[in-house]
């Protein structure tokens, strides 16, 4: 019994597999969503990951209808933007903490995607001991 398969089917299958592998590699390297700071937000229309430091007094709750409202400031600058976030709030969230949240700018307010709020590793905020 001999199997006579078309080499065209094999070439198509390998091409699809290679294209999928390249796409997965691209997404894993780029992270999928560009990370920017509040000063770089102006003129952006698509979804981004906003990175910055929490300033001011956060108001509301993530699970409430109005959501959690806070300001996010550039890590080493003064530009800031108001943020509205709905979803679970990490235990380490507080004023002065560096966070990352995904969403888009709407009418001057950054509207975050549900459950996209992440805090940076707290070890970055402890001073290095001099030995």
């Amino acid at each position: 019994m001999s199997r006579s398969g078309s080499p065209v089917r094999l070439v198509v299958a390998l091409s699809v597999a290679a294209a999928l592998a390249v796409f997965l590699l691209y997404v894993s390297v780029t992270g999928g969503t560009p990370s920017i700071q509040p000063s770089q937000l102006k003129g952006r229309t698509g979804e981004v990951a906003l990175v910055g430091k929490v300033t001011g007094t956060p108001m509301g709750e993530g699970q409430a209808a109005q959501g959690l409202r806070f300001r996010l400031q550039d890590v080493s600058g003064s530009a800031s933007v108001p943020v509205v976030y709905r979803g679970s709030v990490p235990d380490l969230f507080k004023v002065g903490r560096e966070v990352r949240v995904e969403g888009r700018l709407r009418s001057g307010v950054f509207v975050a995607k549900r459950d996209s709020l992440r805090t940076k590793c707290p070890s970055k905020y402890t001073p290095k001991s001099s030995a």
Side-chain angles (χ1 to χ4, degrees), residues 2-115:
S2 69
R3 281 180 98 175
S4 60
S6 172
V8 173
R9 291 176 73 186
L10 178 62
V11 170
V12 170
L14 289 175
S15 297
V16 169
L20 193 59
V22 168
F23 172 74
L24 290 174
L25 181 64
Y26 172 76
V27 169
S28 69
V29 169
T30 62
T33 306
S35 292
I36 62 171
Q37 293 193 42
S39 62
Q40 300 167 313
L41 237 159
K42 190 172 184 174
R44 297 278 181 148
T45 56
E47 189 171 290
V48 296
L50 191 62
V51 179
K53 187 170 42 173
V54 178
T55 61
T57 304
M59 300 174 73
E61 294 180 17
Q63 301 299 336
Q66 296 298 323
L68 175 66
R69 296 175 177 272
F70 59 95
R71 289 194 77 80
L72 207 55
Q73 178 181 333
D74 281 12
V75 174
S76 59
S78 60
S80 68
V81 64
V83 176
V84 175
Y85 171 77
R86 291 175 185 84
S88 61
V89 179
D91 292 337
L92 298 174
F93 177 83
K94 66 178 183 178
V95 174
R97 180 76 69 199
E98 191 176 330
V99 300
R100 178 182 191 272
V101 65
E102 295 178 13
R104 62 182 58 216
L105 189 64
R106 291 191 181 140
S107 302
V109 176
F110 190 80
V111 179
K113 283 178 26 181
R114 178 172 287 282
D115 296 325

